[in-house]
Every structure is written in C-alpha cells, then in structure tokens.
Amino acid sequence: MIKELTYKKPGSTQETRLEKIHNVIFENSKSGSKAVAREIADLIKYKQSKKQKCILGLATGSSPITVYEELVNIHKREKLSFKNVITFNLDEYYPISSENTESYYTFMHQHLFDHVDINKENINIPRGDLKKNEIEKYCKSYESNIEKLGGIDFQLLGIGRTGHIGFNEPGSSINSITRLIKLDYLTREDASKAFGGIYNVPKTAITMGVSTILSAKRIVLLAWGENKKDVVYESIESSISQNITASFLQKHNNTTFVLDMGSSSRITRIDSPWLVDSNIDWDINSKTRAIAWLCNQTGKSLLRLSLRDYIQNHLSELAANQSTHDLNIEIFNRVQRTITGWPGGKPNSDDTYRPERAKPEKKRVIIFSPHPDDDVISMGGTFQRLVDQGHDVHVVYQTSGNIAVSNDSVLKFLEVYSDIFDVNDSHINDVKNKLINNNEIIEDKFIREVATKIREKEALAATRYVGLKDENVHFLRLPFYESGKIVKNKTSKHDSDLMSQIITKIKPHQIYAAGDLADPHGTHAVCIKLLFQSLKKLKKEKFMSNCWVWLYRGAWHEWEINEIDMAVPLSPQQVIKKRKSIFFHKSQNNSVMFQGDDKREFWERVEERNRDIAKQYRKLGMADYQAMETFRRYHF
Ligand code: F6R
C-alpha cells in the first residue's frame, strides 16, 4: 500500500512536536519515489479533468531519478498524458551547452521528456548558453513566465549537502528570485564524480530563488541516504537559517519531506524517540540504543548508571518496568557478548553467548567485496584472523572497480610495458596520447581493461599478503558495472546468476558483505541487493541452512551500538598489518577522484572509525581495545 503523503501540520502530535516541516518516512527510496510519482500523476489527471494546465517545478540530481522512472511507467501503463503539463526546471549549470552530457537539459530529456508525450514548447529549463549580459533579463522572464501561468502547482525538490534547494547555496535570502549564483565548493565536489574531477564542474549556475520556490502551491522534497541526515535534521528541527536554505521551507504550509531510513535517522522521533514519545516498545534493541545514548549523555559507563540518571534524561518510563540494576547488567552483557577474537567461531568452546557457532571448526567463508579493496578496508583485521585461524577463506570481488583508476595510473603501466618490451604499437601509442594530461574518464574498452587488470593485480598482492592462495580469489566483473562510465548499467539476470553460481560453488558457512543499505544509487547498494536476491533464490538449498551472513559497513559509516552483533578487536600490530594490506591498492592511494568532501585517504578514515568504535565500547565500560571492526548479522 502506498503511504499517505497528504500534508499534515507539523508538530501537531507529541511525537512530532520538535518538527517544523511535515515529513513521511519510507522503507526505501523506491517506495518513497513511487508515492511521489503517484501524487504527481493524480494532480496531472485532476487538472485534465478540469481542462487546466498542470505547472510542475522539476529538479535534477540523483534523488528524483526513480520518480521520473515511475512517471514514465505510469505514462506507459496507465496512458497518463503529459499534454497539459508545463514544466519549469529549478536550475542549470552556467556556462554549459545543452548538448553537454552533464547538463540538466540532457538529464531531463534522458530521464523524462524523451519518454512521455509532453509538448517540447512546454519545457522550460534555465539556459546555460547565454551571454553574461543576457542573464539578468532572461532570469526576470523566467520568473514572469511562471507568474503568468498562475504559479507552480507542484514543486519537486532535492536537497544538497550544503542544505541547498535548487542551487540556493548558504547565504541565499528568503526573498531571492531566479538568478546567477556561485556554487558552493561542497556542491561542486558532489558533482565532481559526474564531471570527472572538480575542475571540470562549472563554478556557477542559474537557479530559481528561494522566494520562487516558496510561491509554489505544493512542495515535495526528496532526500535519500545517510549522507543527507544532517541537513534533513537541521531543516526540520532547527531554526530557520540562511545557512541551510531548505529550512526556509518551514515557512511554507504545504511542504512534505519524503525520506528513507537513512536520511531520517537523525530526526529526534527516530534517533532518540524517548525524548518525544512516551509509548516506546522497549525491546532489547531500543533498550540498548537508549542506554548507550544515556552513557553518552552522562559520561558514565553502563554499570554506573543510576536511577537518577534515567529519570533526569527522559528515560523514567524505561526504568519503571525494570530495575536499573537489572537493566544495566542486561545491556552490559548484550554488548559485551558481541566482542570476539574468533570471528569464525571458537573451536571446542561453549558458544551459547558467542556471536558465531563453534562448529564446524573450519568454516568455508566468502568475503564479498563490491570493489577490489573493500575487503581489506572494511574488515582487513577480521579477514586476517579468519585466515590465521585456519578457515577456508575466499574473496569475491564483485565489480572490476576500473572507473576509479586514474588515467595517470593506466599511462604509467603502458609506458613501462612499451619501454621494457620495446613495443612501438600504433594503437598503444594512440591510447597513450589520449591519456596524457587528461583528467576525464575515457570510455575506451582497452583503457578500462588495463584499469581492471591493475586493480586485479593489486588485489592479488593484498590477498597474498594476508595469506590467501590465488585460487581463493575470484573476480566476478559483474556486467552492470561495465558501462565504461560513471553511470552504470541496469542489473540483469547475468549479474545475479554470477552471484548465485559462486555461492553454490563454494557452499559457504559464512558470508561477509558490505551492508551499505542506505546508499540508494551507489555500487555498494547494487552489490548488496544482488546478494540478497541470490540468498532468496538459494534459500532452499541444503547447504544454505548452515550459512550465516555478516554485514560490514563501507568506508564511510559505522553501525550503531544496538545494531552490532559481532565486534572483532584489533591490536596495535593488527592495525598496522591492516594498513599495509590497504596500501597494496596503490591506484586508490592519493586518488581524489571519488573522495567526496573527506580528504583523508581510505586507510586513515577507516583507522579512525575502527578506533572510534573501540572508544565507544570503552566508554560503555567494556575492555579497552586499540580498534575494532563491527558486523551485523543478516537473517535471510
Ligand atoms: C537539482 C537541484 C539540487 C539537487 C541537490 C541534491 O536540480 O536543484 O538542489 O536537488 O543538489 O542532489 P542529489 O539529488 O544528486 O543528491
């Protein structure tokens, strides 16, 4: 059933009392997008029944893609016509030509306009090819064209990590109208992946203003994934501020934020519901979450929390059902029992309270790694322990990861090869010339193949270092990834068959995989979805009844304390060994290509993360470790 998007006054219930913008949370971006597409389709139909035009304000970026996909489906399935629709896009880079593959003009045609029956003259997208002196007049006419049509009926928005709506970067005024604006560095960094480097991203854009957006009759903002959780929280619960222009939407009385689990995870109702709600279902999960939070608030370890601490911090209801003494011990044991130095199970020991089974003593293990390096980055210490403890460990690299190899790295290998073997091949020379001083991703089969090989050999060097035989290392090269460009292909049966085949071949007792569930579009999310599909398909196979699945997190996020089912400690020596295994992935060191706003190298980020989680355990009163890797069990 599609969830109700109908606007409700925010803050009207006890649970939403800190919220100033109405919001609806969906299980994932797909179900949220479907609901939004349905609202748009219904509006178009309603306007048709009244013989009126339907004026839509549209957004680009990753967030609305599935909404457009769904609208195209509705157009085909239900014969929804777009003949009465007039669109105004929020923004366009400046300068940019409409033919540029990264222009919003191209984006809108690719994702929507080319697939529906909209009249071309009804499409309005700010022009990126104007002369500088034409811009002001053009922007005024953009505004007046909207006004002449009676304003926007429905405005679709995304939200940038700077909190921008449209390209209204921090500092934009509530009265701003359509204009040329300088893009924030963070916004340009987010776009750098698509443009093949930040230096190719235009520095300015033409955008509708905040005031233009606020005059729409209905506004729906989409936000997917954990990357957006801070700006979503600030917009909904903090005061209105020019620093987060989405917070101006608090002034609009028909705005709904459509969120998923990741983007909503900082809203108080979700993050610390006991602060706003008195009807909490106190299961072991919510208790662990609340008590870990309480330790943080009070600066006390778990076994030192008193009744007074509970009462003073809005947790009296929890303490009313169970003595705080029992509560503290219950949660202490739960957290403590996640810690193990035996990720494959401890042989000959009572495993009642251990995260893994003792038997079979020697397990067959698959570590799925979306790219060649996630294995060592995210679970290098655990990987090493599994090998050292004698398990039959296989690493399966799902994609080639060849897009993330810079042209410089490919060039270096070709030059070494040509010099050593005295090769003077015209094709290789052409390729070398293409690569010199070129930062853009080149769609060329040969270049991508060299890049694939570079990553495969780096991965082999790392797995040999950990102690694995080469025959235990598998490169799936899933076809969805092999588009030769940033935007990947759709997954097909071929992808899921490759996944199922390798699982069937190895018949593992343990599977480790990257559980980046919140990231809606990234490769990690596609890879985990493919694994889940295979698990579902293979569920009835006898060998699967003995298989446990453990999810690690990627380079960016960590599990919350209550989500952790296994925590594997790392000694200082193990941390250094892990670091070395990451270093084998040389093409990924000093690579700024996909780093986003975090300038640290992968090994630095992950070391800090592993150290932080050990610190959190210590603060709860657990033993004091140098670092930890954490896992969540997935029951299929
Ligand atoms: C796009 C736009 C921007 C994006 C925002 C989020 O037309 O105006 O405000 O909505 O930058 O981008 P994604 O969806 O790519 O995270």
Side-chain angles (χ1 to χ4, degrees):
M1 205 192 85
I2 288 177
K3 260 196 199 175
E4 192 58 76
L5 279 193
T6 312
Y7 175 78
K8 291 190 190 77
K9 209 170 162 45
S12 51
T13 61
Q14 172 70 7
E15 211 194 352
T16 61
R17 70 191 159 82
L18 302 177
E19 299 169 19
K20 296 158 194 156
I21 296 178
H22 174 234
N23 61 84
V24 185
I25 302 165
F26 285 82
E27 191 65 30
N28 53 47
S29 58
K30 181 135 195 182
S31 48
S33 300
K34 277 191 167 182
V36 176
R38 179 53 58 197
E39 178 172 332
I40 298 174
D42 287 350
L43 179 67
I44 297 175
K45 281 187 202 158
Y46 172 77
K47 290 277 181 176
Q48 276 162 5
S49 73
K50 298 263 169 205
K51 305 236 169 328
Q52 286 170 0
K53 300 276 181 227
C54 180
I55 320 297
L56 300 180
L58 298 180
T60 53
S62 60
S63 311
I65 291 178
T66 314
V67 173
Y68 296 145
E69 221 172 80
E70 193 51 27
L71 279 173
V72 173
N73 286 340
I74 299 177
H75 165 72
K76 289 189 182 143
R77 217 175 38 224
E78 300 171 22
K79 310 262 171 300
L80 171 73
S81 170
F82 282 68
K83 287 277 182 226
N84 67 325
V85 173
I86 300 180
T87 62
F88 286 87
N89 261 83
L90 278 167
D91 40 21
E92 177 62 284
Y93 292 109
Y94 180 85
I96 201 162
S97 80
S98 53
E99 289 92 59
N100 189 312
T101 49
E102 296 316 320
S103 74
Y104 285 167
Y105 180 94
T106 306
F107 176 101
M108 286 310 300
H109 285 78
Q110 239 172 30
H111 291 284
L112 182 66
F113 299 146
D114 285 350
H115 314 285
V116 294
D117 62 344
I118 188 164
N119 290 329
K120 298 295 168 210
E121 61 275 18
N122 286 349
I123 297 172
N124 299 279
I125 302 173
R127 280 178 52 187
D129 60 350
L130 298 166
K131 294 205 191 86
K132 262 250 157 85
N133 61 6
E134 296 170 333
I135 295 178
E136 204 181 318
K137 194 164 157 219
Y138 175 79
C139 289
K140 279 199 180 126
S141 70
Y142 205 77
E143 285 280 322
S144 63
N145 288 344
I146 296 175
E147 270 166 40
K148 269 186 241 158
L149 289 162
I152 288 172
D153 295 308
F154 180 102
Q155 176 67 56
L156 189 62
L157 296 176
I159 181 168
R161 281 193 305 137
T162 59
H164 68 211
I165 44 175
F167 273 142
N168 293 288
E169 298 290 21
S172 298
S173 136
I174 191 166
N175 296 321
S176 54
I177 55 168
T178 306
R179 68 205 186 286
L180 184 72
I181 190 159
K182 215 168 155 236
L183 293 177
D184 197 277
Y185 191 75
L186 191 57
T187 302
R188 292 183 65 228
E189 251 178 6
D190 281 346
S192 68
K193 192 167 155 184
F195 280 88
I198 189 155
Y199 299 107
N200 303 324
V201 183
K203 293 195 175 64
T204 52
I206 294 180
T207 181
M208 280 186 194
V210 177
S211 150
T212 330
I213 293 172
L214 287 178
S215 6
K217 291 163 199 143
R218 164 83 168 137
I219 299 177
V220 169
L221 182 145
L222 313 169
W224 316 128
E226 261 178 65
N227 278 346
K228 301 282 172 78
K229 68 178 183 193
D230 293 333
V231 280
V232 163
Y233 164 75
E234 300 275 349
S235 312
I236 294 180
E237 292 196 22
S238 297
S239 323
I240 295 177
S241 148
Q242 282 192 338
N243 294 335
I244 304 273
T245 52
S247 67
F248 286 128
L249 296 168
Q250 293 180 17
K251 291 253 179 209
H252 190 269
N253 61 11
N254 194 6
T255 290
T256 300
F257 276 24
V258 177
L259 310 172
D260 66 0
M261 307 300 242
S263 63
S264 61
S265 57
R266 247 197 91 188
I267 299 178
T268 307
R269 160 166 60 105
I270 307 298
D271 181 59
S272 28
W274 46 89
L275 294 178
V276 287
D277 188 6
S278 50
N279 281 319
I280 296 181
D281 178 14
W282 287 115
D283 58 11
I284 183 76
N285 197 34
S286 52
K287 279 195 233 173
T288 312
R289 197 181 168 91
I291 294 174
W293 173 88
L294 185 59
C295 289
N296 230 338
Q297 289 294 110
T298 55
K300 286 187 179 177
S301 61
L302 247 157
L303 296 177
R304 288 179 47 229
L305 293 171
S306 64
L307 178 60
R308 190 196 198 111
D309 294 322
Y310 280 79
I311 293 172
Q312 282 182 339
N313 289 285
H314 308 268
L315 286 170
S316 40
E317 196 207 59
L318 173 58
N321 300 332
Q322 205 177 341
S323 81
T324 52
H325 174 85
D326 287 354
L327 265 173
N328 293 352
I329 290 181
E330 183 190 356
I331 304 307
F332 180 88
N333 285 340
R334 155 141 201 230
V335 177
Q336 219 244 343
R337 285 168 185 160
T338 61
I339 305 173
T340 182
W342 298 86
K346 186 169 185 183
N348 305 318
S349 59
D350 178 4
D351 57 8
T352 320
Y353 296 118
R354 290 183 173 275
E356 246 303 347
R357 303 147 291 172
K359 284 187 183 150
E361 243 176 61
K362 299 292 174 223
K363 295 189 172 62
R364 281 186 302 277
V365 178
I366 296 183
I367 299 175
F368 278 110
S369 179
H371 302 94
D373 68 358
D374 295 305
D375 52 340
V376 282
I377 291 175
S378 296
M379 54 170 291
T382 306
F383 182 2
Q384 186 69 62
R385 278 188 191 255
L386 288 164
V387 174
D388 293 348
Q389 290 165 3
H391 300 287
D392 180 21
V393 180
H394 292 253
V395 179
V396 177
Y397 295 108
Q398 291 168 280
T399 72
S400 70
N402 63 21
I403 288 293
V405 179
S406 69
N407 291 344
D408 284 344
S409 301
V410 176
L411 181 62
K412 179 174 77 186
F413 279 85
L414 291 181
E415 287 187 328
V416 170
Y417 167 74
S418 322
D419 285 4
I420 298 279
F421 295 101
D422 204 11
V423 176
N424 193 1
D425 175 290
S426 63
H427 176 231
I428 295 197
N429 289 341
D430 282 351
V431 173
K432 285 199 287 195
N433 286 334
K434 262 199 220 171
L435 291 164
I436 293 173
N437 285 336
N438 185 349
N439 289 326
E440 282 173 26
I441 288 167
I442 307 172
E443 234 184 295
D444 176 294
K445 264 197 152 169
F446 177 73
I447 295 177
R448 298 275 66 93
E449 184 58 27
V450 177
T452 298
K453 282 289 161 200
I454 290 174
R455 294 211 69 175
E456 287 187 1
K457 300 306 169 202
E458 289 173 348
L460 277 177
T463 49
R464 285 174 193 154
Y465 176 74
V466 176
L468 227 56
K469 289 183 281 186
D470 288 0
E471 60 261 35
N472 281 26
V473 184
H474 313 263
F475 298 99
L476 287 193
R477 293 192 183 199
L478 290 179
F480 86 86
Y481 187 90
E482 299 301 313
S483 61
K485 40 185 185 216
I486 303 272
V487 181
K488 304 293 181 273
N489 302 323
K490 281 211 174 336
T491 53
S492 68
K493 190 168 171 302
H494 195 174
D495 295 292
S496 43
D497 284 352
L498 284 168
M499 290 287 293
S500 304
Q501 278 157 15
I502 193 85
I503 298 174
T504 311
K505 189 170 151 204
I506 296 171
K507 301 194 173 35
H509 302 102
Q510 276 195 325
I511 288 178
Y512 289 86
D516 284 320
L517 306 174
D519 169 11
H521 299 293
T523 298
H524 284 215
V526 179
C527 286
I528 194 72
K529 273 183 206 143
L530 284 168
L531 173 66
F532 289 165
Q533 277 171 18
S534 297
L535 293 176
K536 208 166 158 193
K537 191 171 139 200
L538 298 173
K539 202 174 165 172
K540 297 221 170 69
E541 300 290 333
K542 194 158 170 267
F543 67 88
M544 286 308 277
S545 59
N546 250 335
C547 179
W548 285 21
V549 178
W550 294 98
L551 302 180
Y552 60 83
R553 301 225 71 184
W556 290 272
H557 302 296
E558 188 53 79
W559 298 117
E560 301 284 335
I561 292 284
N562 60 300
E563 293 172 321
I564 297 171
D565 294 310
M566 177 159 74
V568 180
L570 273 69
S571 68
Q573 290 87 329
Q574 285 169 324
V575 170
I576 291 178
K577 186 139 199 229
K578 170 171 174 169
R579 188 189 302 169
K580 282 195 182 154
S581 61
I582 299 174
F583 282 170
F584 282 100
H585 296 274
K586 290 210 169 32
S587 69
Q588 303 305 297
N589 295 343
N590 292 317
S591 140
V592 286
M593 238 170 166
F594 298 117
Q595 248 171 338
D597 62 327
D598 191 337
K599 286 286 163 264
R600 293 168 302 165
E601 296 281 341
F602 280 121
W603 67 269
E604 289 177 295
R605 301 182 203 189
V606 81
E607 263 181 34
E608 199 166 310
R609 210 159 56 94
N610 293 165
R611 215 171 30 235
D612 277 354
I613 193 78
K615 212 190 286 172
Q616 277 190 54
Y617 266 65
R618 183 167 68 238
K619 279 192 180 158
L620 296 178
M622 308 296 140
D624 187 5
Y625 294 104
Q626 176 74 16
M628 273 177 161
E629 289 171 346
T630 60
F631 303 87
R632 180 178 188 182
R633 184 151 171 225
Y634 174 74
H635 298 267
F636 58 97

